[in-house]
Amino acid sequence: AGFAQAGMITRTLILHRSAATSLASLRGASRGARSAPTRAPPGRVVAGKRSRRPKAEKRGSDVAIPSSEATPSTPPPAPASSKTLPEEGDAPRGTSSAPPKGPPTDDPLPAVTRDQVLDSCLGTTAWMLGIAIILREATFFGRDVLPDAIGDWTATLPLVAALHPPFEPVDLASHAAVAVAAAATVTGLRSALLESWPDFRAATDRSNRQVLAPLTVGDLVTVSALPAVAEEALFRGCVIPALGGGPVGVIVSGMTFGALHVGGGRNVAFAAWASAVGCLYGACAVGCGDVSVAIAAHAMANYASATMWLEKNPDVKLR
């Protein structure tokens, strides 16, 4: 029993000694842990403190290890260059910041086919002549119900005076002479202006080259006569009597006629010319009391203008 008790005491002492040794080791490790700096992975916060960015492993390396922590950064400075690139919105050197100008006035119009020219001519003639006839006949059939200020346009300014008796053969001759004189006047003035007015010449060249180039000799008569019939019936046969049949109607119809001639390669110069010619045709119609005088003069002037232009431009040949 004594040996057993002594053995137990011995084992107890050994255990106490081992426990003391282990406790001392733990205390030493704890002191060492407190004295050593705490390192944390890059970008993490340890004990409320922000860790520093890791340095490059090699001193001579130019590449820094990126950090996962989002920190504001500034873009690297642009490399120095002898040339300065223009910023967005700046005009290049040697150029003006003003908007580019439109195409030159002498640019040709796009080419068209013969069918396109004839279809346009026939279509325009149909609707203009249709409107003119409807308006004139409406004033005739409604003369008993319409206000007196409107009147009967067919009587105020007949479309064809020969169909409204009394009409003498001598009147037919005088009307024909007026139409020829008006056409000759328009043709002569047009020739003079083509030589002295560049804008008018440019507009005439563009329009004629597009319209006349694809046509045949027979088509020239069609595109000269049909527009004359429709335009005179509407502008002289309706606008003039609607405004009383006097000088005011002549001027207004001429100005309206000219304003509608802007476009299709024709500029303001051509519109001014068309306005003056329209007033001349209106004066002939009112003076003779016959819209057909203006129609004849207009058609002859169109044909003469086209043939003269073709002679001066031999590269355009009708088929």
Side-chain angles (χ1 to χ4, degrees):
F3 285 109
Q5 186 177 5
M8 292 178 62
I9 294 173
T10 302
R11 285 195 294 270
T12 302
L13 291 174
I14 293 174
L15 290 175
H16 279 288
R17 187 178 298 174
S18 298
T21 303
S22 299
L23 181 60
S25 300
L26 289 174
R27 289 177 177 175
S30 176
R31 292 191 186 97
R34 285 196 300 269
S35 62
T38 303
R39 295 184 179 180
R44 295 184 181 180
V45 178
V46 177
K49 296 183 179 180
R50 187 180 300 275
S51 63
R52 298 180 181 179
R53 292 184 181 180
K55 299 181 180 179
E57 293 183 0
K58 295 182 179 181
R59 183 180 301 273
S61 175
D62 294 334
V63 181
I65 300 176
S67 173
S68 61
E69 182 181 359
T71 57
S73 61
T74 58
S81 175
S82 59
K83 296 182 179 180
T84 303
L85 297 177
E87 297 182 359
E88 183 179 359
D90 292 345
R93 293 182 179 180
T95 60
S96 174
S97 59
K101 296 182 179 180
T105 56
D106 57 350
D107 282 355
L109 295 175
V112 295
T113 64
R114 173 178 178 267
D115 290 341
Q116 288 176 316
V117 174
L118 295 180
D119 288 347
S120 177
C121 179
L122 294 174
T124 304
T125 299
W127 72 260
M128 293 181 71
L129 186 60
I131 292 175
I133 292 176
I134 291 173
L135 291 177
R136 289 177 62 85
E137 293 303 316
T139 61
F140 172 76
F141 290 105
R143 60 186 181 275
D144 295 332
V145 295
L146 294 174
D148 295 337
I150 296 178
D152 180 6
W153 295 356
T154 62
T156 303
L157 187 59
L159 199 61
V160 182
L163 302 179
H164 295 260
F167 188 81
E168 301 294 335
V170 66
D171 294 333
L172 181 60
S174 64
H175 290 186
V178 171
V180 171
T185 301
V186 171
T187 303
L189 290 176
R190 186 194 301 270
S191 299
L193 290 176
L194 288 174
E195 299 296 333
S196 60
W197 198 355
D199 289 344
F200 179 64
R201 180 172 60 252
T204 302
D205 288 343
R206 288 196 304 272
S207 180
N208 285 353
R209 187 172 295 275
Q210 182 190 49
V211 173
L212 300 180
L215 300 182
T216 65
V217 176
D219 297 334
L220 189 60
V221 177
T222 302
V223 298
S224 298
L226 290 184
V229 173
E231 290 171 358
E232 296 306 318
L234 181 60
F235 291 101
R236 257 58 72 180
C238 292
V239 177
I240 291 179
L243 297 176
V248 175
V250 171
I251 295 174
V252 172
S253 69
M255 298 299 292
T256 306
F257 178 71
L260 295 178
H261 277 73
V262 177
R266 296 168 295 192
N267 51 23
V268 177
F270 196 93
W273 161 255
S275 297
V277 171
C279 291
L280 176 61
Y281 293 153
C284 293
V286 172
C288 296
D290 190 358
V291 178
S292 63
V293 174
I295 293 174
H298 193 163
M300 288 187 288
N302 283 349
Y303 187 84
S305 170
T307 53
M308 291 176 59
W309 186 87
L310 289 170
E311 290 178 358
K312 293 184 178 181
N313 295 270
D315 58 307
V316 179
K317 296 182 180 179
L318 301 183
R319 293 176 291 171

